[in-house]
Amino acid sequence: MNKPVATKITDVKERYKSGVLKYKQMGYWEPDYEPKPSDVLAVFRITPQDGVDPEEAAAAVAGESSTATWTVVWTDRLTDSEYYRAKAYKIERVPGSSDQWFAYIAYDLDLFEEGSIANLTASIIGNVFGFKPLKALRLEDMRVPAHYLKTFQGPATGIVVERERLNNFGRPLLGATTKPKLGLSGRNYGRVVHEALKGGLDFTKDDENINSQPFMHWRDRFLYCMEGVNKAIAETGEVKGHYLNVTGATMEDMYERAEFAKALGSVIVMIDLVIGYTAIQSMAKWCRKNDMILHLHRAGHSTYSRQKNHGVSFRVIAKWMRMAGVDHVHAGTVVGKLEGDPNVIRGIYDTCRENHVAKNLRHGIFFDQPWASLKKVMPVASGGIHAGQMHQLLTYLGDDVVLQFGGGTIGHPQGIQAGATANRVALETMVKARNEGRDIWGEGPQILANAAKWCMPLRAALDTWKDVTFEYAPTDSVDYVLTPTAS
Amino acid sequence: MRLTQGQFSFLPDLTDAEIKKQIQYALSQGWALSVEFTDDPHPRNTYWDMWGQPMFDIKDPAGVMLEVTACRKAHPTKYIKVLAFDSRKGFETVRMSFIVNRPAEEPGFDLVRAEGPGRQINYTMRSYASAKPAGQRY
């Protein structure tokens, strides 16, 4: 390990002499600092360049994500600069790693504008990720104090009110994304929506890249989708919806599309993460005002959330999205085709759904996080899942989740309606069995096989996809494992 | 048509023994059971008639089953559902809802389309049964 370098300079004249100082000398490393309950806390995974002292690297992260610049400036003396400096207060070596450390940093509440994810992130992930003395940097987790949370609206609707509006209780919701994602005309697209909803799904969904292309302009899509939705409601007596993606080039476009969705009686609209934090917050406020559920597709997140050494972990994005005010967020499936270590996914689901998330390093949760009654976000499990995994999905993900079977509905050999029915029967069967006290983890396949005796669509689904699994090692896993302790 | 509101409407109708197991589950979670009935199953009819108050103090599934049976006897041709209510902070809402009685004939809903400007359609769902006055439906 590198030798620690100089510590904080307390002599004022020395401290403010023109020139360049170490960040530790400037006061960004405070090992004795006790974080205040109102501080925003962040833990970063840092990989210092060779020869860079990790304490100095942590101090640099604190500096560059708060008040510092590369050289001493006399204008610091015009403020209470001690107060505004972020403070790196602890580093810990990443278990099993020789060159990575977890750096804990505290930020005073006054560094941030109330109710603004854009402002929060401009500091925390603003300049600092390109900082040369670090090879790589990852924001692993944050503790957002209740003081700050209370300045955010939070989810427009929340899980409880969403369920009450949909009159849908006691089981996961079911959805499907219309496929093919691109190329269908409005009329053909609405056909898929109607078939899937009539067959038993609660929701259908636009995909992230369906906006307003030459093959299907947005008004046409909205009109045909709502015909499909309403026809299915009349045929089943259930409240249903289609996530109408209102993502557009400008806020004006998005408001126009959302207003039209409202005029057509849609219960839900959708946006993509790529529209940006400010646009997301604007849509969340619009949805709260207009009794609309807000679905967020996390398009783009894997560019920065997946690699363990650099970027922002998705649990932090999920946290920001709960503050920003979305009602649904794609949060992983564990068993499907997309990235998802079970422990990491658990940490993300807890972040979406719990009133208080306790520190749990095995789930990647580094801090106690009280949610101060911010509403709960419904996680969405989507990507390569099918009816044959229902016992695993229910065990891993619980009741408050939307299970989205896109290919697993539309690719059914007997058609879309049959695909939807297979999923709905598998789900209801599994919930009923669990409530009856059966061991669905162990008996799941048999429980499904029994239901398939009277439900032909389920039998066909199980036959088609019985052996489909996606078993690859996750790239984003947790660093802390349970080790037995001597009793 | 078959009204598919509730947790288990895609399964064969639950037997009394199966209903009792679900009630047992709800009680084990600390939830209060209640029974509601209606002759107007419109998807947005939130307030079905209450068969008495939620049974906050009944902890025995057999006691809840007595109420289910009594409601069925009084309203054999109507929709009846069992609800489980969770009063814990953060929920304070219904946690389970499943149908335990339904009419032999379910005529379903008429979808009324009112054409508006710009190809816009305003949709209204009307239950065929509720075209008749209350008391004469089903």
Side-chain angles (χ1 to χ4, degrees):
Chain A
M1 186 168 157
N2 305 293
K3 258 197 306 222
V5 293
T7 51
K8 185 176 175 180
I9 299 174
T10 46
D11 178 72
V12 178
K13 266 179 88 178
E14 275 300 304
R15 168 65 180 81
Y16 288 106
K17 211 159 73 183
S18 292
V20 178
L21 294 177
K22 297 283 184 193
Y23 288 87
K24 284 173 77 176
Q25 294 173 314
M26 288 196 271
Y28 294 101
W29 170 248
E30 295 265 11
D32 300 327
Y33 182 72
E34 272 292 319
K36 300 191 292 273
S38 61
D39 283 347
V40 171
L41 304 181
V43 56
F44 291 89
R45 177 194 301 261
I46 58 174
T47 314
Q49 296 280 10
D50 299 338
V52 174
D53 161 40
E55 289 178 2
E56 172 63 11
V61 171
E64 290 295 323
S65 62
S66 63
T67 57
T69 187
W70 60 278
T71 185
V72 172
V73 291
W74 66 269
T75 41
D76 271 358
R77 301 187 73 179
L78 301 174
T79 77
D80 187 354
S81 53
E82 190 73 21
Y83 176 78
Y84 292 112
R85 258 178 224 135
K87 292 151 185 88
Y89 62 93
K90 183 166 77 174
I91 60 167
E92 280 170 358
R93 194 188 282 271
V94 172
S97 159
S98 60
D99 62 344
Q100 297 183 356
W101 278 263
F102 289 124
Y104 289 77
I105 298 173
Y107 301 83
D108 191 90
L109 199 50
D110 284 352
L111 294 175
F112 307 107
E113 177 177 347
E114 57 274 17
S116 171
I117 299 288
N119 179 254
L120 175 71
T121 55
S123 274
I124 307 283
I125 60 168
N127 275 344
V128 64
F129 277 67
F131 193 53
K132 278 183 177 170
L134 300 169
K135 278 187 199 160
L137 179 65
R138 189 188 202 217
L139 178 55
E140 288 285 343
D141 197 11
M142 288 184 74
R143 191 281 305 271
V144 183
H147 315 61
Y148 194 41
L149 285 178
K150 278 294 188 188
T151 67
F152 286 84
Q153 169 192 281
T157 313
I159 291 177
V160 168
V161 176
E162 172 172 354
R163 283 193 175 280
E164 291 184 345
R165 277 193 206 156
L166 300 174
N167 188 30
N168 194 323
F169 306 101
R171 63 165 172 85
L173 303 174
L174 282 177
T177 308
T178 312
K179 304 283 175 182
K181 304 160 74 135
L182 298 174
L184 291 173
S185 70
R187 193 174 192 273
N188 293 333
Y189 197 88
R191 167 70 75 186
V192 178
V193 169
H194 173 252
E195 289 283 314
L197 294 177
K198 184 181 183 188
L201 303 191
D202 304 298
F203 284 127
T204 47
K205 172 179 174 292
D206 286 339
D207 225 329
E208 73 284 359
N209 49 1
I210 274 285
N211 297 157
S212 194
Q213 283 103 322
F215 53 83
M216 175 172 58
H217 290 112
W218 67 272
R219 285 183 63 97
D220 223 31
R221 171 162 51 92
F222 283 23
L223 287 162
Y224 281 115
C225 285
M226 289 314 294
E227 170 70 17
V229 167
N230 283 295
K231 203 166 145 59
I233 291 175
E235 287 161 338
T236 60
E238 295 180 89
V239 180
K240 293 174 182 290
H242 177 84
Y243 313 159
L244 292 167
N245 190 350
V246 301
T247 297
T250 64
M251 277 317 294
E252 291 73 23
D253 289 336
M254 293 205 288
Y255 285 134
E256 183 190 8
R257 294 173 192 190
E259 288 292 345
F260 192 53
K262 183 178 82 168
L264 295 176
S266 183
V267 295
I268 186 162
V269 293
M270 163 181 165
I271 50 174
D272 293 335
L273 183 59
V274 290
I275 68 173
Y277 302 134
T278 298
I280 291 170
Q281 283 195 266
S282 290
M283 287 311 302
K285 295 221 159 146
W286 184 91
C287 285
R288 174 70 68 85
K289 265 188 212 147
N290 291 281
D291 301 313
M292 196 71 86
I293 300 165
L294 183 58
H295 179 95
L296 177 80
H297 186 112
R298 55 176 174 168
H301 81 96
S302 287
T303 55
Y304 48 79
S305 69
R306 192 174 179 199
Q307 298 302 326
K308 268 175 80 167
N309 67 339
H310 192 84
V312 181
S313 80
F314 192 75
R315 75 190 132 261
V316 173
I317 303 294
K319 193 165 283 194
W320 293 345
M321 289 304 104
R322 186 168 176 179
M323 294 158 70
V326 307
D327 291 312
H328 287 186
V329 66
H330 289 243
T333 64
V334 182
V335 297
K337 71 176 178 184
L338 303 175
E339 178 69 35
D341 170 80
N343 289 310
V344 171
I345 299 288
R346 179 65 197 277
I348 296 168
Y349 272 63
D350 284 351
T351 295
C352 291
R353 299 190 298 200
E354 297 298 322
N355 293 324
H356 182 95
V357 183
K359 175 180 168 180
N360 185 336
L361 294 176
R362 289 183 58 224
H363 295 166
I365 304 291
F366 287 74
F367 305 103
D368 286 344
Q369 176 64 64
W371 274 101
S373 295
L374 245 67
K375 287 176 187 290
K376 299 183 273 192
V377 177
M378 186 83 85
V380 177
S382 177
I385 56 175
H386 56 82
Q389 300 162 326
M390 200 58 83
H391 53 297
Q392 297 164 327
L393 291 166
L394 191 61
T395 304
Y396 278 129
L397 309 179
D399 280 352
D400 284 330
V401 57
V402 187
L403 302 177
Q404 282 194 178
F405 303 88
T409 299
I410 296 158
H412 192 282
Q414 296 164 345
I416 301 169
Q417 257 191 62
T421 303
N423 287 322
R424 179 77 175 264
V425 168
L427 177 69
E428 293 192 359
T429 301
M430 205 54 68
V431 170
K432 177 168 171 283
R434 179 201 60 190
N435 294 0
E436 286 172 351
R438 294 180 65 182
D439 163 26
I440 59 168
W441 187 260
E443 297 176 49
Q446 190 54 49
I447 292 167
L448 290 173
N450 289 346
K453 285 181 191 154
W454 58 265
C455 179
M456 290 303 294
L458 180 55
R459 187 185 305 174
L462 296 179
D463 287 346
T464 305
W465 293 304
K466 61 175 179 288
D467 296 324
V468 177
T469 55
F470 297 90
E471 287 176 4
Y472 299 96
T475 54
D476 181 18
S477 52
V478 288
D479 298 283
Y480 296 92
V481 291
L482 198 62
T483 43
T485 48
S487 52
Chain B
M1 62 90 77
R2 179 179 171 89
L3 185 80
T4 47
Q5 295 173 18
Q7 280 169 278
F8 304 124
S9 285
F10 271 71
L11 306 182
D13 288 341
L14 269 56
T15 64
D16 281 8
E18 289 172 320
I19 294 168
K20 207 169 157 182
K21 282 183 182 165
Q22 295 300 318
I23 293 169
Q24 176 68 57
Y25 174 75
L27 290 169
S28 75
Q29 303 294 313
W31 302 337
L33 279 303
S34 58
V35 178
E36 296 182 357
F37 62 97
T38 193
D39 60 2
D40 175 15
H42 188 281
R44 290 196 163 87
N45 177 12
T46 306
Y47 304 113
W48 290 23
D49 292 298
M50 295 168 76
W51 180 258
Q53 288 178 13
M55 294 167 252
F56 295 106
D57 302 314
I58 299 186
K59 305 294 177 204
D60 178 4
V64 178
M65 277 309 291
L66 282 178
E67 297 301 328
V68 171
T69 309
C71 185
R72 272 191 192 139
K73 203 170 164 195
H75 303 284
T77 61
K78 293 182 184 170
Y79 290 97
I80 302 175
K81 64 183 171 186
V82 170
L83 299 154
F85 195 91
D86 182 356
S87 60
R88 279 181 310 152
K89 176 89 185 73
F91 288 96
E92 293 147 320
T93 187
V94 176
R95 299 298 296 278
M96 293 176 72
S97 169
F98 57 97
I99 290 175
V100 294
N101 199 69
R102 56 174 78 232
E105 290 281 322
E106 298 183 84
F109 304 91
D110 184 17
L111 180 65
V112 184
R113 294 179 181 83
E115 291 89 348
R119 293 178 58 225
Q120 193 170 325
I121 293 174
N122 288 313
Y123 297 93
T124 300
M125 250 69 66
R126 215 182 45 209
S127 163
Y128 290 113
S130 62
K132 292 183 206 154
Q136 296 171 30
R137 303 166 186 167
Y138 299 105

